[in-house]
């Protein structure tokens, strides 16, 4: 039996969802169409779920590596031929705001571009409020390296090869290097531990970027149809055309990190590990996500059912106030085949169907 490269690590933190409903609308960066989303609270262990509400019947698409359907200049998730494009900025904001569970109703084929970063999404989430749930947050903890490269022989990677890997760490860290043949962008290295305490200030405001000379070709291929100076940094041969300039002196590489965080969150988990990425985009990011999911342990059905019963019982006790009873005792191990749990609260015996 092979040693596990990844384990599911339950933390002392509690899962979170949005407290109130969030409405957001703008043009789609690539489709050029007006699109809108409604972010709603979700129960613990539901994860991030997209729902194409503009279709009848509505199509439910879970944020999961198996549902990645395109990585051409953006990350799209889909099911049964129905796709939702450009999910990475929203996914990054959800990660940065500490949201584990949310139901996202989508009206259109793409997530709104807003200002081309994760900033407005993040601020909207915090304005709505964040609700702590009763279930503990789980992480994917990396025990052994998981490596993806454009060169099949990772040990002999050349300068022009793309590579991404994740190594063991007790935190979530990113080391990202890039090299663009442009005098204003150039090469760079970003290295940092990233968590919910520094995501907003260090990452969220970095905007997507593109080159003026490529715009016509992109539009001929049905891309960047909604792109403008309002939702992207646009570069000519010498610098940016946006009058406000850069939000960070290294905004370009920080946006690549923003994309990477959003793409990794499609795994369905937060991760404890150090990511080392070299010139990667959505395609390589997605390959790492799929490699991670191939190496993560599966939750057995009996474990999942037992967890579900325990969670529903805890919710019931919480709602009735019984969870605070000092004389309460529960023996979860004695769930019978009918799903009956017998417990005692203040000398009162109750049978509850869960």
């Amino acid at each position: 039996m092979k040693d596990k490269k990844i384990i599911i690590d339950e933390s002392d933190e509690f899962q979170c969802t949005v407290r109130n409903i969030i409405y957001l609308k703008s043009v789609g960066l690539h489709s050029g169409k007006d699109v809108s989303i409604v972010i709603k609270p979700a129960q613990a262990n539901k994860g991030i779920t997209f729902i194409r509400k503009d279709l009848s019947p509505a199509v439910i698409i879970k944020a999961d590596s198996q549902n990645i359907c395109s990585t051409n200049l953006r990350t799209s998730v889909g099911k049964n031929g129905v796709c939702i494009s450009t999910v990475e900025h929203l996914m990054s904001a959800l990660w940065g705001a500490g949201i584990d569970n949310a139901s996202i109703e989508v009206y259109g084929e793409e997530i709104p571009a807003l200002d081309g970063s994760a900033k407005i999404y993040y601020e909207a989430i915090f304005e709505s409020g964040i609700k702590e749930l009763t279930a503990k947050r789980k992480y994917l903890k990396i025990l052994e390296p998981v490596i993806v490269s454009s060169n099949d022989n990772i040990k002999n990677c050349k300068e022009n090869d793309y590579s991404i890997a994740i190594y063991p760490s007790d935190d979530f860290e990113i080391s990202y290097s890039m090299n663009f043949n442009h005098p204003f962008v150039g090469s760079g290295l970003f290295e940092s531990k990233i968590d919910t305490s520094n995501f907003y200030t260090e990452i969220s405001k970095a905007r997507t970027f593109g080159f003026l000379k490529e715009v016509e070709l992109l539009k001929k291929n049905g891309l960047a149809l909604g792109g403008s100076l309002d939702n992207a940094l646009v570069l000519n041969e010498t610098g940016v055309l946006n009058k406000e300039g850069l939000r960070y002196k290294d905004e370009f590489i920080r946006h690549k990190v923003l994309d990477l965080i959003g793409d990794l969150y499609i795994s369905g988990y937060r991760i404890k590990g150090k990511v080392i990425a070299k010139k990667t985009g959505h395609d390589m990011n997605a390959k790492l996500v799929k490699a991670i999911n191939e190496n993560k342990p599966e939750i057995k059905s009996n474990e999942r059912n037992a967890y579900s019963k325990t969670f529903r019982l805890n919710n019931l006790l919480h709602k009735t106030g019984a969870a605070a009873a000092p004389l309460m005792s529960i023996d979860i191990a004695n769930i019978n085949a009918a799903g009956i749990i017998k417990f005692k609260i203040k000398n009162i015996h109750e049978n509850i169907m869960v």
Side-chain angles (χ1 to χ4, degrees):
M1 183 177 179
K2 291 183 179 180
D3 292 335
K4 294 178 181 178
K5 287 188 174 183
I6 300 171
I7 61 171
I8 296 177
D9 185 28
E10 185 175 281
S11 71
D12 292 330
E13 306 161 12
F14 288 96
Q15 295 179 28
C16 294
T17 188
V18 295
R19 184 170 294 279
N20 297 298
I21 297 174
I22 302 167
Y23 302 88
L24 291 165
K25 179 179 180 180
S26 82
V27 68
L29 180 64
H30 292 289
S31 67
K33 299 176 182 178
D34 288 335
V35 287
S36 61
I37 62 170
V38 181
I39 305 174
K40 294 183 175 181
Q43 295 177 351
N45 301 306
K46 290 295 185 181
I48 308 300
T49 302
F50 296 94
I51 308 170
R52 279 289 300 269
K53 291 287 284 187
D54 58 317
L55 301 178
S56 182
V59 178
I60 300 172
I61 306 169
K62 188 173 178 61
D64 186 289
S65 65
Q66 295 181 348
N67 291 332
I68 296 174
C69 59
S70 176
T71 53
N72 183 19
L73 295 183
R74 78 280 205 202
T75 298
S76 304
V77 293
K79 185 178 180 181
N80 299 330
V82 175
C83 281
I84 299 172
S85 298
T86 325
V87 301
E88 62 271 13
H89 300 170
L90 173 56
M91 290 298 295
S92 194
L94 291 166
W95 183 94
I99 300 300
D100 304 280
N101 308 282
S103 175
I104 303 165
E105 297 179 354
V106 183
Y107 296 84
E109 62 192 55
E110 189 175 15
I111 300 298
L114 301 180
D115 72 341
S117 75
K119 175 180 178 289
I120 297 175
Y121 285 119
Y122 183 98
E123 291 173 347
I125 291 167
F126 264 85
E127 186 176 340
S128 85
I130 296 175
K131 181 180 179 180
E132 193 173 83
L133 303 172
T134 57
K136 293 294 182 68
R137 177 176 287 158
K138 293 180 175 64
Y139 286 80
L140 290 182
K141 185 173 178 62
I142 308 301
L143 301 182
E144 293 183 18
V146 179
I147 303 171
V148 176
S149 173
S150 59
N151 186 327
D152 291 335
N153 188 347
I154 188 69
K155 293 181 179 180
N156 294 318
C157 281
K158 300 176 182 178
E159 184 178 350
N160 293 327
D161 290 333
Y162 302 81
S163 64
I164 185 167
I166 188 163
Y167 297 87
S169 174
D170 290 331
D171 301 304
F172 179 64
E173 304 173 71
I174 290 180
S175 174
Y176 190 99
S177 59
M178 71 175 193
N179 186 7
F180 277 87
N181 185 23
H182 188 283
F184 198 75
V185 181
S187 60
L189 174 66
F190 178 93
E191 290 186 308
S192 180
K193 170 187 170 183
I194 304 172
D195 55 33
T196 54
S197 69
N198 64 2
F199 174 85
Y200 179 71
T201 56
E202 300 298 322
I203 302 297
S204 74
K205 304 169 191 177
R207 292 161 290 178
T208 192
F209 61 95
F211 301 94
L212 185 62
K213 64 181 181 181
E214 298 176 355
V215 169
E216 186 176 346
L217 179 60
L218 288 171
K219 290 187 175 181
K220 283 183 179 179
N221 286 282
L223 297 168
L225 298 176
S228 71
L229 296 177
D230 294 326
N231 56 32
L233 287 169
V234 181
L235 295 106
N236 61 16
E237 295 301 324
T238 58
V240 295
L241 300 180
N242 307 66
K243 290 183 179 180
E244 68 177 277
L246 299 179
R247 294 175 177 175
Y248 308 96
K249 65 179 181 179
D250 56 351
E251 186 169 356
F252 307 106
I253 196 168
R254 288 178 190 253
H255 184 79
K256 301 294 281 186
V257 171
L258 185 156
D259 280 347
L260 175 56
I261 292 170
D263 288 342
L264 287 176
Y265 203 27
I266 296 176
S267 67
Y269 290 87
R270 297 171 186 278
I271 298 173
K272 290 183 179 180
K274 181 174 182 177
V275 181
I276 299 179
K278 177 184 176 185
K279 301 194 299 185
T280 65
H282 298 298
D283 182 58
M284 293 294 289
N285 296 347
K287 288 178 180 177
L288 178 62
V289 172
K290 291 179 179 181
I292 288 171
N293 278 355
E294 287 172 1
N295 284 282
K296 78 179 182 185
E298 292 186 6
I299 301 176
K300 297 178 181 178
S301 59
N302 60 337
E303 292 175 348
R304 188 181 294 111
N305 290 338
Y307 180 84
S308 177
K309 292 176 186 293
T310 304
F311 174 70
R312 281 180 282 170
L313 175 63
N314 287 339
N315 268 352
L316 178 60
L317 295 175
H318 181 74
K319 289 177 182 178
T320 60
L327 300 180
M328 181 185 71
S329 63
I330 304 174
D331 187 0
I332 295 297
N334 290 330
I335 301 176
N336 66 20
I340 303 292
I341 296 177
K342 184 171 286 188
F343 64 94
K344 182 178 181 181
I345 301 177
K346 293 184 178 180
N347 297 320
I348 299 175
H349 290 271
E350 298 284 356
N351 284 333
I352 290 185
M353 175 72 74
V354 295

